[in-house]
Amino acid sequence: MRTEIKMVDLKNQYLKIKSEIDFAISQVLDSTEFINGKEVKIFQQNLEHYLEVKNVIPCANGTDALQIALMSLDLQPFDEIIIPSFTFAAAAEVTKLLNLTPIFVDVDFETFNIDVQEIEKNISPKTKAIIPVHLFGQAANIEEILQIAAKYDLFVVEDAAQSLGTNVYFSNGTTKKTGTIGHLGTTSFFPTKNLSCYGDGGAIFTNNDFLAEKCRIIAQHGAKTKYFYERIGINSRLDTLQAAILNVKLKYLENFNAARQEFANFYDSKLKNNEKISIPVRNSFSNHIFHQYTIVLNGINRDKVRDFLQKNEIPSMIYYPVPLHFQKPYISEQKNLLKTEKLCDSVLSLPMHTELNVEQQNKICEKLLEAVSIPDFSSDNK
Ligand SMILES: *Cc1c(COP(=O)(O)O)cnc(C)c1O
């Protein structure tokens, strides 16, 4: 069977679980409880149970989840928030929106996650929070981040949009899921994420009941009781239809993540012995659920490789092409973060989703290895 290779194959995944999904959607249509229907509460409880966290607060998307989490901390204008520069813009964006100052920090070149040594160097009397992003499905060094946060009395808000289901192994032997470890955690159910719905969705996690209550109030217009407002909030809800879809898909999350891990192992085995390619480095304190399978190209012109792959009907993506501290809205925070800058120039993400097959993966690896061996593709910058 020849199927088109995609970065993410939502269609074939849907077909696998179509009858359950269609039934769940039809139930919501029948009830017409499109907002705050019973599926939303059920999903909240299912996710609390899966993550082993006291409070899940569903909301409209992962960016809102970060905004609500930060709002619940009641910070002062220009308080500083430490954020990795090699990531998606959401954390920096909501920081600026709330009149706070993002302090961009470099990442570890091998794991792509925030460099813990760099965090401490960037702490000032105005620093109030750290937002570690568990990038591409692997945890940031959250145990050490918590120690730094405790030392300087900072909040930790984990961005777990790419790591729903990732386990962190602590040195005392306990295991916890990313997003449930800091004061607050957030995620996104955007269609390409590991746990995803068929539109926008997100959630906030916390074991702190006081912060949970604040997040709930903020997400519903600042009102604890409808029409009685306690503070300025926003309108951020998870649709009942999306919750119904998520209730089905949550049951498959462990299997879906296992499939991604299997495909990652396959890529590793084919690509590991090529000096032009650095395969993803796995840390020792978490597992990796491969939201992305991202390699680093060494001494190779990335554009030429991507063109070559594209001509062979193999898509690839660059996450992320430009460091946040070089982007227009954040240019006032400009500095030199050399590892982030180098990664932006050399990373390449390969197709990764739950529906890959051996034939597709063989073709991807074969063509990639062919591309990096073309003499004309080598670059002089290394
Ligand atoms: C996807 C993503 C978000 C934002 O999620 P949305 O639901 O699209 O708002 C935030 N942070 C990271 C790291 C993400 O990958």
Side-chain angles (χ1 to χ4, degrees):
M1 186 185 68
R2 279 219 150 264
T3 50
E4 185 191 344
I5 301 177
K6 296 180 176 165
M7 278 307 283
V8 178
D9 185 347
L10 295 175
K11 182 66 184 280
N12 281 312
Q13 191 194 62
Y14 165 61
L15 291 176
K16 253 190 202 165
I17 54 176
K18 181 175 176 355
S19 60
E20 274 182 277
I21 293 278
D22 291 1
F23 180 71
I25 289 174
S26 72
Q27 295 281 94
V28 178
L29 295 181
D30 267 346
S31 77
T32 69
E33 285 181 10
F34 298 118
I35 300 290
N36 291 335
K38 70 174 192 304
E39 284 79 3
V40 179
K41 183 82 187 171
I42 293 170
F43 174 62
Q44 175 210 313
Q45 290 166 343
N46 286 343
L47 194 55
E48 283 168 355
H49 180 76
Y50 172 72
L51 293 173
E52 297 182 52
V53 67
K54 270 178 91 181
N55 302 280
V56 165
I57 299 104
C59 67
N61 58 68
T63 308
D64 275 7
L66 281 163
Q67 179 171 342
I68 294 162
L70 278 187
M71 285 172 80
S72 78
L73 301 178
D74 288 315
L75 303 176
Q76 299 301 311
F78 308 113
D79 278 349
E80 294 176 0
I81 313 292
I82 290 182
I83 299 171
S85 188
F86 185 64
T87 183
F88 183 66
E93 179 179 38
V94 300
T95 297
K96 285 287 235 182
L97 272 175
L98 296 173
N99 247 324
L100 304 166
T101 305
I103 301 295
F104 293 112
V105 165
D106 215 349
V107 294
D108 178 75
F109 194 77
E110 295 200 317
T111 63
F112 312 141
N113 273 316
I114 192 162
D115 182 334
V116 177
Q117 260 81 52
E118 295 298 318
I119 294 178
E120 208 157 356
K121 288 186 207 156
N122 282 279
I123 290 174
S124 83
K126 293 192 128 189
T127 309
K128 291 290 148 53
I130 307 168
I131 306 184
V133 180
H134 303 298
L135 205 69
F136 299 154
Q138 178 165 247
N141 193 339
I142 191 73
E143 182 161 7
E144 285 187 23
I145 291 170
L146 284 183
Q147 284 161 7
I148 295 171
K151 183 166 157 194
Y152 295 92
D153 198 18
L154 309 176
F155 290 108
V156 175
V157 179
E158 302 172 72
D159 182 345
Q162 303 186 2
S163 68
L164 202 84
T166 301
N167 290 318
V168 178
Y169 313 117
F170 287 83
S171 46
N172 67 4
T174 57
T175 300
K176 290 182 187 171
K177 293 237 176 319
T178 55
T180 70
I181 300 160
H183 300 84
L184 293 147
T186 64
T187 203
S188 162
F189 307 120
F190 185 82
T192 61
K193 308 287 174 167
N194 289 44
L195 177 62
S196 62
C197 59
Y198 295 167
D200 277 310
I204 304 137
F205 317 130
T206 181
N207 286 306
N208 180 320
D209 293 338
F210 177 68
L211 290 175
E213 181 66 1
K214 282 214 262 183
C215 289
R216 271 184 218 109
I217 290 172
I218 291 164
Q220 51 191 12
H221 296 289
K224 192 168 177 178
T225 312
K226 216 172 182 183
Y227 309 125
F228 293 87
Y229 307 102
E230 303 197 358
R231 57 180 294 154
I232 303 288
I234 63 173
N235 174 25
S236 189
R237 295 180 289 238
L238 180 67
D239 290 350
T240 311
L241 278 167
Q242 302 304 343
I245 291 161
L246 286 164
N247 277 326
V248 174
K249 293 187 75 177
L250 180 56
K251 291 188 290 177
Y252 294 94
L253 179 62
E254 289 282 314
N255 285 343
F256 285 161
N257 283 345
R260 288 170 180 270
Q261 287 164 327
E262 190 189 313
F263 301 139
N265 290 341
F266 187 96
Y267 276 140
D268 279 0
S269 69
K270 295 276 174 181
L271 304 176
K272 69 180 177 203
N273 289 325
N274 192 295
E275 55 175 3
K276 307 279 187 198
I277 296 171
S278 298
I279 61 172
V281 174
R282 300 163 187 226
N283 67 41
S284 57
F285 47 80
S286 88
N287 66 346
H288 196 325
I289 60 167
F290 289 97
H291 173 62
Q292 298 294 343
Y293 186 91
T294 302
I295 59 172
V296 175
L297 294 176
N298 308 311
I300 285 285
N301 184 311
R302 182 174 58 182
D303 291 339
K304 289 183 181 172
V305 171
R306 289 194 76 203
D307 277 353
F308 182 89
L309 292 175
Q310 196 55 57
K311 286 197 184 93
N312 287 284
E313 295 171 327
I314 297 167
S316 62
M317 290 290 281
I318 298 169
Y319 302 115
Y320 294 91
V322 180
L324 288 179
H325 64 281
F326 286 170
Q327 305 261 6
K328 205 163 142 198
Y330 311 108
I331 208 77
S332 60
E333 273 78 44
Q334 183 162 8
K335 49 167 98 163
N336 292 324
L337 301 176
L338 298 178
K339 289 175 287 179
T340 295
E341 288 154 34
K342 184 140 189 253
L343 284 175
C344 287
D345 288 339
S346 56
V347 286
L348 187 67
S349 295
L350 302 180
M352 175 51 80
H353 53 78
T354 59
E355 310 304 310
L356 282 168
N357 61 49
V358 172
E359 188 193 349
Q360 292 177 330
Q361 281 202 288
N362 268 326
K363 179 175 166 187
I364 295 164
C365 293
E366 193 186 298
K367 291 295 167 191
L368 177 62
L369 291 170
E370 193 180 327
V372 300
S373 74
I374 297 173
D376 184 42
F377 283 15
S378 79
S379 62
D380 307 324
N381 59 15
K382 188 162 179 268

